């Protein structure tokens, strides 16, 4: 468990973070979202001690991070950056095993881990292990960036806008990939983005930052349906063009006609926030009637729709 207690960070005299209090539970997919300059990167770097708080405490399992051995702590924390930063003169396999090598893992063990991880992210090891970074697309390179962060089986993986430089299709594929990895590996993911759609799609817990202040923390439903203030409401509404409704999903080809019975009084003109609530109340499947036709929506439909909207 990671905990911020009354944390402040000033750059010279300028406050970047003010009185931040939050808790990140083990195994969570925790997303920090907010506009540029809101303090997301600063907060993330305080977790792996690249930045030291001006005041306050960051704790891991109730122990101040200052009291851990820095090298050991860093090995338990993977870090994925926006600009992919692979070493151009090393092969993909060598890039992945750079940390394991510094830990003196045997050659066999390093190779096994690299090949297993390549396989896990859909890059055929036979084809990719010996290539150099410039022989991979941006999306493929960022897959390697993610693998590199996973190579030492960390407890926590920190990701700072890892997909923002990618084209929309690669971004959606990599979002799916990190969701899959999170399900399989059961590590804590802390993911920073300025993109509200990405936050909603990925986060089990979402923290909204503005000007160094935590505006709200909650799950998808809390944020979409119970914004605590006008900033959170506005941030989502602006990003969602205000008024996306169930009709927009249908028009985009989401949802299917069904002969199953309705389990909801949802209407075609209802906003997607209501759909999110209904999905939550009905175990992820909503069937509603419009004009003598029954339609079926799943949570996946809503998330894919949001991802598609985010690309516009
Ligand atoms: P975000 O990641 O949300 O864009 P940052 O954490 O990078 O926000 O920045 C928060 C604030 O701190 C911004 O106003 C930024 O200009 C300032 N800041 C960040 N890093 C530095 C630095 N090294 N020196 C001075 N000011 C900084
Ligand atoms: Mg940043």
């Amino acid at each position: 468990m990671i905990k911020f207690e009354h944390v402040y960070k000033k750059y010279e005299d300028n406050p970047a973070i003010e009185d931040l209090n939050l808790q990140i539970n083990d195994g969570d997919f925790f997303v920090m979202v907010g506009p540029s300059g809101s303090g997301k990167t600063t907060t993330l770097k305080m977790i792996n001690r690249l930045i030291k708080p001006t005041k306050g405490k960051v704790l891991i399992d109730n122990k101040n991070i200052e009291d851990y051995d820095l090298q050991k702590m860093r090995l338990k924390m993977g870090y994925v950056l926006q600009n992919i930063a692979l070493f151009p003169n090393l092969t993909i396999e060598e890039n992945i095993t750079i940390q394991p090598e510094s830990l003196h893992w045997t050659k066999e063990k390093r190779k096994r881990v690299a090949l297993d991880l390549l396989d896990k992210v859909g890059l055929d090891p036979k084809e990719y292990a010996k290539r150099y970074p410039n022989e991979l697309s941006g999306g493929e390179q960022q897959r390697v960036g993610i693998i590199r962060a996973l190579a030492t089986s960390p407890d926590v993986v920190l990701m700072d806008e890892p997909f923002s430089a990618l084209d929309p299709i690669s971004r959606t594929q990599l979002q799916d990939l990190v969701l899959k990895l999170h399900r399989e590996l059961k590590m804590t993911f802390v993911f920073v983005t300025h993109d509200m759609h990405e936050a909603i799609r990925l986060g089990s817990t979402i923290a909204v930052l503005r000007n160094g202040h935590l505006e709200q923390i909650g799950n998808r439903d809390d944020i979409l349906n119970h914004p605590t203030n006008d900033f959170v409401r506005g941030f989502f509404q602006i990003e969602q063009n205000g008024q996306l409704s169930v009709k927009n999903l249908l028009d985009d080809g989401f949802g299917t006609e069904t002969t199953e019975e309705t389990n909801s009084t949802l209407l075609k003109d209802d906003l997607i926030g209501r759909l999110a609530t209904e999905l939550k109340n009905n175990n992820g499947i909503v069937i509603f009637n419009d004009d003598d036709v029954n339609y079926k929506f799943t949570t996946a439909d809503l998330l894919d729709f949001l991802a598609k909207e985010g690309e516009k």
Side-chain angles (χ1 to χ4, degrees):
M1 186 183 63
I2 302 166
K3 222 171 174 178
F4 282 70
E5 283 183 1
H6 300 291
V7 169
Y8 293 73
K9 171 65 196 173
K10 274 188 188 171
Y11 293 106
E12 281 149 32
D13 274 341
N14 301 321
I17 292 294
E18 288 188 298
D19 199 18
L20 181 64
N21 294 281
L22 60 79
Q23 184 176 317
I24 302 172
N25 292 323
D26 290 346
D28 199 2
F29 201 131
F30 189 94
V31 173
M32 261 187 292
V33 62
S36 175
S38 55
K40 305 181 297 294
T41 296
T42 301
T43 304
L44 201 68
K45 286 182 170 173
M46 287 194 286
I47 298 175
N48 64 2
R49 278 170 64 185
L50 286 173
I51 292 177
K52 193 177 151 69
T54 312
K55 213 168 96 182
K57 277 191 252 177
V58 182
L59 307 156
I60 294 181
D61 296 335
N62 292 316
K63 177 166 148 183
N64 195 321
I65 56 169
E66 301 288 326
D67 298 335
Y68 285 90
D69 176 80
L70 183 62
Q71 298 313 323
K72 279 192 197 141
M73 203 193 82
R74 290 259 173 85
L75 287 172
K76 288 275 140 204
M77 279 190 195
Y79 191 32
V80 186
L81 298 159
Q82 176 185 339
N83 52 350
I84 298 149
L86 300 178
F87 297 103
N89 54 332
L90 299 183
T91 65
I92 297 307
E93 185 181 332
E94 288 164 346
N95 263 285
I96 297 167
T97 54
I98 210 154
Q99 253 194 342
E101 199 171 358
S102 73
L103 293 175
H104 309 297
W105 290 12
T106 64
K107 215 169 159 195
E108 293 72 46
K109 186 175 173 195
R110 293 199 311 260
K111 191 170 189 77
R112 181 157 36 82
V113 167
L115 302 192
D116 279 356
L117 284 169
L118 279 168
D119 202 39
K120 227 185 203 11
V121 302
L123 298 174
D124 181 2
K126 283 200 281 305
E127 204 179 313
Y128 285 90
K130 299 295 172 209
R131 285 203 204 172
Y132 287 87
N134 68 0
E135 298 171 312
L136 270 60
S137 72
E140 289 169 342
Q141 288 184 42
Q142 194 54 301
R143 280 168 205 254
V144 176
I146 294 169
I147 298 179
R148 188 175 55 182
L150 297 174
T152 56
S153 303
D155 299 328
V156 179
V157 185
L158 309 175
M159 290 177 264
D160 195 351
E161 313 225 16
F163 308 148
S164 53
L166 303 179
D167 64 274
I169 293 171
S170 305
R171 199 185 315 152
T172 308
Q173 286 172 347
L174 284 187
Q175 288 170 351
D176 288 339
L177 175 68
V178 290
L179 283 169
K180 179 184 102 137
L181 290 172
H182 181 254
R183 272 196 305 274
E184 289 175 5
L185 302 172
K186 308 198 184 322
M187 298 167 180
T188 309
F189 281 16
V190 185
F191 189 105
V192 161
T193 178
H194 64 266
D195 177 345
M196 206 31 106
H197 297 95
E198 186 163 77
I200 294 286
R201 187 153 195 260
L202 296 180
S204 308
T205 309
I206 300 161
V208 186
L209 281 176
R210 174 179 59 158
N211 290 340
H213 292 269
L214 183 63
E215 297 287 327
Q216 183 168 2
I217 185 164
N219 63 28
R220 205 173 276 137
D221 179 58
D222 298 329
I223 301 282
L224 278 178
N225 295 307
H226 309 285
T228 49
N229 60 35
D230 285 346
F231 173 75
V232 177
R233 191 177 296 115
F235 195 38
F236 277 92
Q237 282 180 352
I238 292 160
E239 296 251 342
Q240 292 177 3
N241 304 322
Q243 302 292 322
L244 288 177
S245 68
V246 174
K247 184 171 179 308
N248 295 116
L249 267 98
L250 285 172
D251 290 347
D252 278 4
F254 292 102
T256 45
E257 286 187 30
T258 177
T259 53
E260 293 171 64
E261 281 185 36
T262 57
N263 63 359
S264 156
T265 58
L266 190 75
L267 301 171
K268 211 169 169 173
D269 290 328
D270 282 334
L271 299 183
I272 55 168
R274 169 130 202 263
L275 174 59
T277 308
E278 291 288 314
L279 284 166
K280 187 169 168 242
N281 293 341
N282 294 298
N283 296 320
I285 297 176
V286 166
I287 299 161
F288 71 100
N289 177 270
D290 180 72
D291 217 6
D292 291 336
V293 182
N294 285 1
Y295 293 96
K296 180 175 182 170
F297 276 116
T298 64
T299 304
D301 289 326
L302 176 60
L303 296 182
D304 288 345
F305 173 73
L306 285 169
K308 218 169 137 214
E309 280 297 311
E311 290 163 13
K312 284 186 184 167

